[in-house]
Amino acid sequence: MADADTLVLPEGAASDWTIPQNWNAYTPEEHAVWDTLFERQAKLLPGRVAPEFLEGLDILRLSKPGIPDFEELSDRLMKATGWQVVAVPGLVPDAVFFDHLAERRFVAGSFIRKPDQLDYLQEPDVFHDVFGHVPLLANPVFADYMQAYGIGGQRAGGRGAIDLLARLYWYTVEFGLIQSAEGLRLYGAGIVSSRSESIFALDDPSPNRIRFDLKRIMRTQYKIDDFQQTYFVIDSFDDLLDRTLNTDFAPLYDELIGAEEIAPDAVLPDDRVIHRGTQAYSRSR
Ligand code: HBI
Ligand code: FE
């Protein structure tokens, strides 16, 4: 999201880019879109998603129907892990995004996609942001990882380092897979909020599935407008948090800024490959 820093503060937004969610203004049709998407994913995900996500999903089962009221949601999340959900108009500048995460505030778009966009949407709406991201924020370890990412972003300083960090976010928070005792499971918000990618990421022979490697991920380009060609698999949330907390990022940036980038579909000799993708899907596009 390289254009996140050329954005201008929208009218009516506070200096931290937050806006009132205005829950009462949602129409019955908008709530119905949420309900349709929620039911679809709630049916599809058991057996495919990390158990921690399913545990967190209960946090979204609120007293009112439809799109969650962020105040009520934040009350619950605050009790679980000290996180809050705040509304923003859309994409916010990187520095604003990092500051919110560092303070344990997750920024969520408050608008919802139209009924004819159920399966594909470029900009993150409330279903992606809340259904996709919030359940894992109820998990103490993942909650700490997200805050650590925000603090890491505050310290990054400069486009080069932020681009490297954005890849880490992309291949974990948005499109990560995890090895559970029962097998490979989904946890990335971009996957779990998408019906088609929830199937593709786990079952399709096309994409590579490669074990998590921080340096490798930070060199890997990604696609923002189609299914991923490679998914990276973590061993556990504890391991993900440990690896990032125990890494000194400053020398890593020095080493990696300007290093050769890795194509989204590449498999390297040193990769710990779980599945070597056929890339049949991407070649058919
Ligand atoms: N803004 N609303 C919103 N949501 C994001 O996920 C987001 C953002 N701004 C910047 C950003 N993500 C990323 O580019 C950072 O992780 C670098
Ligand atoms: Fe997201």
Side-chain angles (χ1 to χ4, degrees):
M1 295 176 209
D3 52 3
D5 40 43
T6 57
L7 301 165
V8 280
L9 184 69
E11 210 177 315
S15 58
D16 68 356
W17 287 66
T18 59
I19 54 170
Q21 184 195 11
N22 207 2
W23 190 87
N24 288 310
Y26 290 119
T27 65
E29 290 74 22
E30 287 175 322
H31 286 305
V33 169
W34 171 279
D35 290 338
T36 301
L37 292 166
F38 188 100
E39 277 160 37
R40 225 163 72 161
Q41 289 311 94
K43 210 177 280 173
L44 178 62
L45 290 177
R48 316 183 75 86
V49 78
E52 293 88 345
F53 181 93
L54 291 177
E55 285 158 25
L57 207 52
D58 274 342
I59 212 133
L60 299 182
R61 294 188 209 278
L62 303 168
S63 62
K64 292 174 228 174
I67 300 166
D69 180 336
F70 290 180
E71 281 188 24
E72 201 187 330
L73 185 58
S74 294
D75 283 348
R76 290 210 187 182
L77 199 52
M78 179 61 80
K79 285 189 191 110
T81 54
W83 274 77
Q84 284 171 275
V85 178
V86 294
V88 289
L91 211 55
V92 304
D94 294 337
V96 175
F97 185 68
F98 294 139
D99 286 349
H100 281 293
L101 295 181
E103 300 289 332
R104 293 172 95 89
R105 283 189 302 266
F106 190 75
V107 297
S110 54
F111 73 99
I112 191 150
R113 66 197 74 184
K114 303 281 172 250
D116 61 357
Q117 301 174 304
L118 291 191
D119 292 302
Y120 184 75
L121 188 75
Q122 186 102 339
E123 243 192 300
D125 72 341
V126 64
F127 186 74
H128 167 81
D129 278 336
V130 172
F131 183 92
H133 286 282
V134 170
L136 278 182
L137 289 173
N139 176 270
V141 179
F142 194 83
D144 284 355
Y145 173 69
M146 288 289 279
Q147 181 180 25
Y149 179 81
I151 294 168
Q154 289 176 322
R155 288 184 189 149
R159 184 76 258 160
I162 286 175
D163 288 346
L164 299 176
L165 269 185
R167 291 178 182 154
L168 173 63
Y169 192 86
W170 191 262
Y171 282 118
T172 60
V173 176
E174 294 291 354
F175 292 98
L177 301 185
I178 184 168
Q179 190 68 58
S180 84
E182 283 78 40
L184 220 50
R185 293 288 185 269
L186 314 169
Y187 75 90
I191 307 176
V192 302
S193 60
S194 158
R195 174 163 66 177
S196 50
E197 198 151 0
S198 293
I199 296 166
F200 180 85
L202 209 56
D203 296 346
D204 202 283
S206 188
N208 303 317
R209 298 182 186 86
I210 296 173
R211 287 188 174 277
F212 178 90
D213 176 331
L214 182 63
K215 256 162 87 167
R216 198 285 194 205
I217 286 175
M218 287 183 139
R219 290 171 53 209
T220 308
Q221 302 162 335
Y222 55 82
K223 295 209 167 171
I224 62 163
D225 57 356
D226 207 342
F227 294 149
Q228 300 306 303
Q229 290 180 288
T230 299
Y231 298 93
F232 291 93
V233 182
I234 60 170
D235 286 332
S236 66
F237 294 123
D238 281 300
D239 191 53
L240 177 63
L241 178 63
D242 284 349
R243 274 173 204 281
T244 46
L245 290 181
N246 295 331
T247 295
D248 187 356
F249 280 76
L252 208 54
Y253 297 147
D254 290 339
E255 182 187 339
L256 296 183
I257 292 173
E260 204 185 332
E261 300 190 344
I262 302 169
D265 62 344
V267 177
L268 306 184
D270 286 346
D271 285 339
R272 292 182 299 153
V273 178
I274 293 171
H275 170 79
R276 180 181 290 261
T278 63
Q279 302 300 338
Y281 168 80
S282 38
R283 266 192 248 109
S284 73
R285 302 281 285 173

